[in-house]
Amino acid sequence: MEDSQGKNTASRGHRAYDQYLNSFIKLEDKRYLPNDNVIHQLVPLRAAMGTVVMTPTQFHEVHFSPLGTCFYFSEHGVANDPLMMALVEREKLNVTKTISTIVFVSTRDAKGFNVSGYIDFEQSLRRFKTAGSKSHPWADIFAGRRRLEPNHQDLSFITWSNGRVYSNDSDNYKVIPDAVKGLCFSHKGDGSMLCIEKYITEEHPLCKFIESPKHGSTVIYDHQIRRKM
């Protein structure tokens, strides 16, 4: 029974690492190198400058360590970056539902196009813990191996090259575009309304602007969750 469980864990770990390597692969790679094994071997050599690709051992330690030995992704190391320093302060508070943080990021994607978006920090952390490569790779982001790039699964996402706009309700927020107030997010837990324009124009104390050398122009919006009586 134990041997069977061990084999299942090893198989799951192997598939997860393959998915991790796939996140670095571009369409043209598959055109010229149809063999996945060869492509995976070349990933560390072809990664973008400043990007560190984890070895299978490092990946296993990050994603398959025993329950409780590493609850927070920042425990694997934090890069000396102003955005990462700010998010480390908020990681535990978000996980424990003390505050709810939305992160706005304006940067360039892997293809060099300008993109921007709003990320539900708590949901993104939780998704990465359960879905791995399908969400933002927080262990690598905190450690400085990957950049934080918004995508079409986040609360709001814009690709400026073609003007496409995506929006999605998250587990914590409902997206509410308002003709007068602008983009707003309603917190599902306590019903509070977070209006982006108001946070910015009134110099809200829970709104923090951060210029990150690695991640671009960012804004952190903190919501102090009110407990329902």
Side-chain angles (χ1 to χ4, degrees):
M1 184 69 175
E2 291 182 358
D3 290 342
S4 177
Q5 290 178 344
K7 290 180 180 178
N8 289 337
T9 300
S11 177
R12 184 163 59 93
H14 182 73
R15 290 197 302 271
Y17 186 68
D18 283 347
Q19 291 176 351
Y20 167 70
L21 292 178
N22 288 340
S23 68
F24 294 93
I25 297 173
K26 298 179 180 179
L27 182 60
E28 54 264 31
D29 295 331
K30 292 193 174 184
R31 289 176 178 169
Y32 299 107
L33 296 170
N35 188 302
D36 287 345
N37 290 331
V38 174
I39 296 176
H40 288 167
Q41 292 175 22
L42 293 177
V43 164
L45 302 176
R46 303 190 63 189
M49 185 175 296
T51 299
V52 177
V53 180
M54 286 189 288
T55 64
T57 299
Q58 292 171 329
F59 182 84
H60 189 275
E61 289 177 351
V62 170
H63 299 282
F64 295 93
S65 56
L67 184 63
T69 60
C70 185
F71 188 73
Y72 300 109
F73 295 120
S74 58
E75 291 178 2
H76 293 289
V78 180
N80 184 20
D81 178 90
L83 177 61
M84 293 302 102
M85 295 297 182
L87 292 181
V88 165
E89 295 176 359
R90 292 161 170 80
E91 184 183 15
K92 182 177 181 179
L93 294 174
N94 273 266
V95 171
T96 57
K97 299 284 189 175
T98 303
I99 68 172
S100 179
T101 299
I102 293 176
V103 185
F104 171 78
V105 180
S106 180
T107 186
R108 291 180 181 271
D109 63 15
K111 297 180 180 179
F113 295 117
N114 290 324
V115 296
S116 61
Y118 293 86
I119 301 168
D120 182 338
F121 185 41
E122 185 278 328
Q123 176 175 278
S124 184
L125 288 169
R126 180 161 36 83
R127 277 184 172 177
F128 183 58
K129 185 177 287 292
T130 58
S133 62
K134 294 182 180 180
S135 185
H136 303 293
W138 282 106
D140 284 345
I141 292 171
F142 275 125
R145 293 187 290 263
R146 298 285 294 274
R147 289 190 307 151
L148 177 58
E149 297 179 9
N151 58 53
H152 65 276
Q153 295 180 336
D154 288 316
L155 280 170
S156 181
F157 175 68
I158 300 176
T159 54
W160 293 101
S161 60
N162 54 26
R164 290 183 180 176
V165 180
Y166 303 84
S167 65
N168 306 279
D169 293 345
S170 71
D171 293 342
N172 298 304
Y173 289 97
K174 180 177 178 60
V175 181
I176 302 179
D178 189 287
V180 177
K181 297 179 181 179
L183 181 62
C184 300
F185 300 106
S186 175
H187 190 267
K188 293 180 178 179
D190 61 16
S192 296
M193 187 75 72
L194 189 159
C195 298
I196 297 302
E197 189 68 24
K198 182 178 180 180
Y199 264 60
I200 295 176
T201 57
E202 294 188 359
E203 297 184 356
H204 201 288
L206 297 179
C207 176
K208 185 178 182 65
F209 292 81
I210 299 174
E211 193 66 34
S212 166
K214 188 177 185 69
H215 305 280
S217 300
T218 65
V219 188
I220 292 177
Y221 303 90
D222 290 324
H223 170 59
Q224 193 75 38
I225 300 176
R226 299 182 302 184
R227 304 300 176 189
K228 292 186 177 181
M229 302 300 290

